[in-house]
Amino acid sequence: MNGDAVKLTVTTHKLFGYRQTLRTAQRLADQAGRLVERSVPGRMPNVQITLTTARGMAALATAADADLAGLSDRRARARAERAAHKVARGAAGRAVPLADGGVLVLVNIEQHRTPDDFAVTLVHELVHAMQFSRRGVRERIVRDLRDGFGVEKQSRREAREHMRLLSAEENEAYGREYLAQQLTSTAA
């Protein structure tokens, strides 16, 4: 990483007894950040990696999405959190852009049995963090969130374009997961 320009921090949210997992995550996060920054176009923003459960992942992601979209309606927020919880049960991780320009990477600790599993998820989500720094990506995500929350409608063309680009970004992230093998080989 470029010295003090980028900050990668690892924390937990409502997890107890995972001190060793937290230490492993901190070690892998630094290595993963350097690896992803070298191999993916874009600029690595400040990243907050949070280890949590599915319920915590849904709550934190919804809060970050609502802040980014400028949503203040509590009922819409609660509805979104219930929907997010259904998705989070099967999700290993999620990267969420933050209103301050940083990125929140949420890792569902229940989905990771080994450091190898964690490394793959970490690399995948850090690739998304790099993508958020690209021109127009953050604005497109905000527009889609505002539409999803019912704040401001986007056109069908914009919605289709967002889904097409989202699919391409997801493919790029899956394509870079091989980098995780370098992490786990150095960690061993």
Side-chain angles (χ1 to χ4, degrees):
M1 312 275 283
N2 336 356
D4 43 74
V6 175
K7 212 168 72 172
L8 243 161
T9 55
V10 182
T11 60
T12 60
H13 174 74
K14 295 190 176 180
L15 281 183
F16 305 101
Y18 282 90
R19 191 172 296 150
Q20 184 59 42
T21 305
L22 180 61
R23 276 192 225 112
T24 302
Q26 287 169 331
R27 192 177 68 250
L28 287 175
D30 290 336
Q31 295 169 359
R34 284 190 293 273
L35 217 57
V36 169
E37 192 173 35
R38 282 195 304 262
S39 67
V40 177
R43 184 187 57 79
M44 182 67 81
N46 290 335
V47 179
Q48 170 69 45
I49 300 167
T50 303
L51 310 178
T52 188
T53 61
R55 185 171 298 285
M57 198 163 118
L60 293 171
T62 302
D65 284 346
D67 288 344
L68 188 63
L71 179 71
S72 59
D73 181 14
R74 284 191 175 138
R75 285 186 294 198
R77 210 173 188 156
R79 206 171 27 253
E81 188 172 330
R82 282 191 300 275
H85 183 60
K86 290 177 186 172
V87 173
R89 281 188 214 140
R94 179 163 177 217
V96 184
L98 297 172
D100 67 1
V103 175
L104 175 64
V105 171
L106 300 166
V107 178
N108 183 351
I109 205 69
E110 299 162 340
Q111 296 285 327
H112 300 88
R113 299 290 173 232
T114 66
D116 294 346
D117 296 340
F118 179 76
V120 169
T121 299
L122 191 58
V123 167
H124 183 99
E125 300 307 330
L126 287 175
V127 169
H128 287 312
M130 292 288 282
Q131 293 166 343
F132 296 153
S133 72
R134 296 176 186 164
R135 184 181 306 142
V137 173
R138 192 173 285 271
E139 293 78 14
R140 189 185 82 229
I141 290 170
V142 169
R143 187 178 57 234
D144 189 64
L145 284 172
R146 290 179 66 80
D147 181 56
F149 283 127
V151 174
E152 184 180 334
K153 197 87 171 127
Q154 70 178 335
S155 71
R156 280 190 227 147
R157 184 184 62 76
E158 289 171 332
R160 279 194 310 272
E161 180 72 3
H162 175 69
M163 292 310 292
R164 185 185 67 74
L165 291 171
L166 201 61
S167 177
E169 290 161 356
E170 199 60 41
N171 287 338
E172 179 185 14
Y174 280 120
R176 299 298 171 130
E177 286 182 357
Y178 71 90
L179 294 170
Q181 293 170 349
Q182 293 177 32
L183 287 179
T184 54
S185 65
T186 60

